[in-house]
Amino acid sequence: MRKRKHWLELNNKGASLITVIITIGFIAILAGTVMMTSLVNFKMKRVNVYAKDTFYSAEQVLDEINIGLQRYISDSLSVAYMDVMQNYSQYSVEKKRNVMQTKYYENMWTKLEVGATGHQKYDVAVLESFLKDTTKWQGNDTTGYGGIVRAYETDVHGNQNLSMQGDMITYDTGIVLKDLRVYYKDSKGFVSVIETDIRLTYPE
């Protein structure tokens, strides 16, 4: 009887040990799952932060382009206004309005258009020149970072090709720069793209 009792005691201790090991293993798996979930969540938040930063940087590129274009508008309007004022007594009210508009558009075309395109194409390099040195592309093509400005054109097959010139359309109410595409890549490799048309409304 004593030997049998001793065997039962050993058997119970073995079962308890197995239960403890299983419990520890379960807790370890649970802790690992929690840690892995937390790590994935942390990485996703970091990616989201970087994505937002690059998007805001792309918006900054667009803002700098808009500021440069506003300066062109102001300069062109000033030249047109001075021309009208120099011939003020010779022009009727309608003539003054027409001359103002004509001179304004002529100056804008001179600043923006690609030569010999009949005011149909704008020069992307002009827009890119508005960017600050800290915003422009830095480094080489593969490991560099910063802002890039391009236009895109659709060919006869429907493919969109990047270009250094885009369609420029002139209306009575202003000029539209079509299909502008702004890229921004940060130093970590995240890229944001903004596609837009820019409408330069003729000042009242």
Side-chain angles (χ1 to χ4, degrees):
M1 290 294 294
R2 289 183 179 179
K3 290 183 179 180
R4 186 176 181 183
K5 185 177 180 182
H6 181 67
W7 180 84
L8 288 173
E9 288 176 355
L10 288 176
N11 190 38
N12 289 337
K13 289 181 180 179
S16 299
L17 182 61
I18 291 173
T19 301
V20 170
I21 292 173
I22 292 173
T23 303
I24 292 173
F26 178 76
I27 293 172
I29 292 171
L30 185 62
T33 302
V34 171
M35 290 180 65
M36 184 62 67
T37 302
S38 299
L39 180 61
V40 170
N41 187 47
F42 174 72
K43 288 183 177 180
M44 288 177 64
K45 285 183 177 179
R46 286 188 66 186
V47 168
N48 188 45
V49 169
Y50 292 144
K52 284 183 177 179
D53 284 345
T54 54
F55 176 75
Y56 292 144
S57 297
E59 280 196 327
Q60 180 182 340
V61 172
L62 199 56
D63 288 341
E64 291 176 10
I65 291 172
N66 284 326
I67 290 171
L69 289 172
Q70 290 298 323
R71 190 163 58 246
Y72 275 7
I73 290 173
S74 178
D75 292 345
S76 297
L77 193 63
S78 177
V79 170
Y81 179 76
M82 290 301 297
D83 185 273
V84 169
M85 292 303 295
Q86 289 171 2
N87 300 281
Y88 190 83
S89 60
Q90 303 174 26
Y91 294 158
S92 64
V93 174
E94 188 64 26
K95 178 72 171 177
K96 291 171 187 173
R97 185 179 297 109
N98 291 337
V99 170
M100 276 282 291
Q101 192 172 35
T102 300
K103 291 292 183 181
Y104 168 80
Y105 283 128
E106 287 176 351
N107 278 278
M108 289 298 290
W109 291 332
T110 300
K111 295 175 183 295
L112 293 173
E113 73 173 325
V114 177
T117 59
H119 321 315
Q120 302 298 309
K121 298 287 184 180
Y122 67 89
D123 189 350
V124 174
V126 172
L127 305 185
E128 206 165 38
S129 70
F130 295 144
L131 304 186
K132 297 177 182 178
D133 291 338
T134 53
T135 309
K136 291 179 179 179
W137 184 261
Q138 313 285 331
N140 58 41
D141 292 341
T142 54
T143 61
Y145 61 92
I148 298 176
V149 184
R150 294 291 183 271
Y152 64 90
E153 298 177 312
T154 305
D155 61 22
V156 293
H157 303 292
N159 300 317
Q160 290 183 346
N161 303 309
L162 294 179
S163 174
M164 288 303 292
Q165 62 182 33
D167 293 330
M168 180 168 63
I169 303 173
T170 303
Y171 299 98
D172 290 339
T173 56
I175 297 173
V176 178
L177 309 180
K178 299 285 291 181
D179 300 326
L180 184 69
R181 185 173 288 183
V182 171
Y183 296 82
Y184 192 88
K185 177 184 175 184
D186 69 6
S187 57
K188 298 176 181 62
F190 288 87
V191 179
S192 284
V193 183
I194 297 177
E195 299 176 7
T196 186
D197 296 339
I198 296 182
R199 181 179 294 274
L200 308 174
T201 305
Y202 177 73
E204 293 292 337

